[in-house]
Amino acid sequence: MTNTGDFRRYSYSGDTSYLINSFDVSRSSAAPAYVPDPRRNLKVRENEKRKSKKQLLQEQRLGFGRVITIVVVCVLTLAMFFGVLSTYAQKNELNHEISNLEEQLAVSQSENTRINSELNSLVSMSMIDKYAVEELGMTKIQSHQIRYIDVSQFKEERKTAIEYVAEKANN
């Protein structure tokens, strides 16, 4: 950090009268020397109480139980972690499969649209006429090929035929 008067040292770097002020000891920015805290007086003491073999075995069993507990907790934690990881992997795989199926669906729908439009173009009257003339060798009807039938005469003949059949059925 700089003091408020330090700006002169940078602005007049070529002037020797200002360079002398940079050696001023009263404005030092050095870190203070480390002085240890006398309140923390650590001493090593020997354990003068001896434990019996029974107490040592009991502490050993207790420590072994703690180790087993820690190992079980670690194994369960790892199992949960890998379970979550595999769930995310399956989710990612299924999302990828869904996107592939959606892409296939879009392609199939566009293919269906194309085939339907092609079918509609084939069913038009001009295409039917063209197919009949070019592929089947048909010709368009001429006016001299048209015959008109009198329907009233047909109805009358039919009516008499029905009466004749009904009369024979009654006899």
Side-chain angles (χ1 to χ4, degrees):
M1 291 187 58
T2 58
N3 291 333
T4 56
D6 285 347
F7 73 95
R8 291 176 292 184
R9 158 172 50 177
Y10 298 111
S11 60
Y12 302 106
S13 60
D15 194 0
T16 54
S17 63
Y18 288 107
L19 288 176
I20 292 175
N21 288 338
S22 47
F23 294 106
D24 190 5
V25 181
S26 65
R27 295 187 304 160
S28 174
S29 63
Y34 174 73
V35 178
D37 190 9
R39 292 177 286 169
R40 286 186 78 187
N41 193 6
L42 301 176
K43 293 181 182 176
V44 177
R45 296 184 195 136
E46 285 188 35
N47 188 5
E48 296 174 7
K49 276 177 112 182
R50 295 259 181 199
K51 292 184 180 179
S52 68
K53 194 169 192 173
K54 187 177 182 181
Q55 287 175 332
L56 289 174
L57 285 174
Q58 186 179 6
E59 285 182 8
Q60 188 178 16
R61 285 186 190 126
L62 186 64
F64 186 70
R66 287 181 183 162
V67 167
I68 294 295
T69 304
I70 290 172
V71 168
V72 167
V73 167
C74 288
V75 167
L76 288 175
T77 304
L78 285 174
M80 285 191 292
F81 174 73
F82 284 118
V84 169
L85 191 64
S86 68
T87 303
Y88 282 134
Q90 286 176 347
K91 179 183 170 188
N92 189 20
E93 205 172 288
L94 291 175
N95 283 339
H96 186 62
E97 187 176 337
I98 287 170
S99 67
N100 285 341
L101 290 175
E102 286 175 346
E103 185 178 329
Q104 287 177 0
L105 177 66
V107 168
S108 297
Q109 286 175 341
S110 66
E111 181 72 14
N112 186 25
T113 304
R114 183 190 66 78
I115 289 173
N116 280 335
S117 64
E118 186 177 318
L119 178 66
N120 288 338
S121 69
L122 290 176
V123 175
S124 69
M125 287 303 287
S126 62
M127 289 302 292
I128 292 172
D129 286 342
K130 183 178 177 183
Y131 182 76
V133 170
E134 292 178 1
E135 299 293 325
L136 301 176
M138 298 177 143
T139 59
K140 291 194 177 190
I141 193 165
Q142 303 293 326
S143 63
H144 69 278
Q145 294 173 327
I146 299 174
R147 281 193 316 172
Y148 294 100
I149 300 173
D150 187 13
V151 178
S152 62
Q153 181 185 359
F154 173 75
K155 283 182 181 179
E156 221 175 278
E157 288 174 1
R158 185 162 186 239
K159 187 177 182 183
T160 56
I162 291 174
E163 287 173 0
Y164 177 73
V165 170
E167 192 177 299
K168 279 225 176 204
N170 288 337
N171 288 338

